[in-house]
Amino acid sequence: MSGLAVIFVAFGLAMDAFAVSIASGLAIRRLTARHVFRMAFHFGLFQALMPVIGWFAGMTVASYIEAWDHWLALGLLGCIGGKMIYESFSDDDDEKPPVDPTRGWSLVTLSVATSIDALAVGLSLAMLRCQVWFPAFVNLREAFVVYSGLRASPHDQRGNLPRANDRLRDRQPLAHHLDRL
């Protein structure tokens, strides 16, 4: 696999982590350097390790699952889709307390969820008999992608997320000028 192809694959793998980091930045009321470091470190670590784990798994079990791997993928995706459909019809609109996405099991779950596609890439590299070390190293740049996503959220200089009424107040002069027209 060429270096350019690896960079394109790594860029594609980074998009889900970028989206999650933007959403996490919006969920955190006061964003600190500690939040940014925790999320960037964990996402980068998982994104670099998952292709290696997938590659080793592919090298060891590939011959055993070749005959029915497509059925396994169908079953997993069907279960996930069915659960999503079921949850869309449930009336669970209870307000839950906010959870810091950069701590505990929430961080581990997000790290695994955004790097599971890297596991599949590692498995694919094993099937193609390619080496995994350069792609795993390239995936370390995930930390920078997550840092960029968290910093893209609209926090002020002190790391505070403006409240909705603050944003409306800031737009009020524009609304006042539009009323004059």
Side-chain angles (χ1 to χ4, degrees):
M1 182 178 272
S2 71
L4 186 61
V6 169
I7 290 172
F8 280 132
V9 168
F11 181 76
L13 291 174
M15 291 302 101
D16 56 351
F18 183 67
V20 167
S21 63
I22 290 174
S24 296
L26 291 172
I28 299 170
R29 191 76 174 123
R30 179 165 166 72
L31 187 65
T32 64
R34 175 178 267 174
H35 291 118
V36 174
F37 174 76
R38 278 194 305 238
M39 186 166 265
F41 176 78
H42 280 85
F43 276 38
L45 179 70
F46 276 77
Q47 197 74 20
L49 289 179
M50 287 297 212
V52 176
I53 294 169
W55 186 78
F56 279 120
M59 294 301 280
T60 56
V61 299
S63 61
Y64 300 116
I65 64 168
E66 277 180 328
W68 49 273
D69 58 354
H70 54 285
W71 294 110
L72 179 65
L74 175 71
L76 289 172
L77 292 173
C79 288
I80 292 170
K83 186 174 184 326
M84 289 172 62
I85 292 170
Y86 173 75
E87 287 178 356
S88 71
F89 290 114
S90 70
D91 292 332
D92 189 21
D93 293 335
D94 297 336
E95 288 293 323
K96 296 181 174 102
V99 176
D100 183 0
T102 65
R103 303 185 86 199
W105 286 110
S106 178
L107 178 60
V108 172
T109 303
L110 289 174
S111 298
V112 169
T114 58
S115 61
I116 204 78
D117 51 355
L119 181 86
V121 166
L123 189 67
S124 301
L125 289 174
M127 301 286 185
L128 295 172
R129 304 283 187 233
C130 295
Q131 291 296 318
V132 74
W133 307 113
F134 179 64
F137 178 73
V138 170
N139 277 349
L140 282 174
R141 60 73 202 101
E142 187 84 20
F144 175 73
V145 170
V146 170
Y147 170 81
S148 302
L150 284 170
R151 289 297 177 192
S153 58
H155 289 83
D156 63 12
Q157 295 295 331
R158 293 171 294 187
N160 294 323
L161 185 64
R163 293 185 298 272
N165 58 358
D166 292 342
R167 283 181 257 156
L168 290 175
R169 186 187 66 226
D170 293 341
R171 293 184 188 141
Q172 190 173 14
L174 177 64
H176 177 70
H177 292 296
L178 291 176
D179 287 342
R180 290 184 181 179
L181 298 175

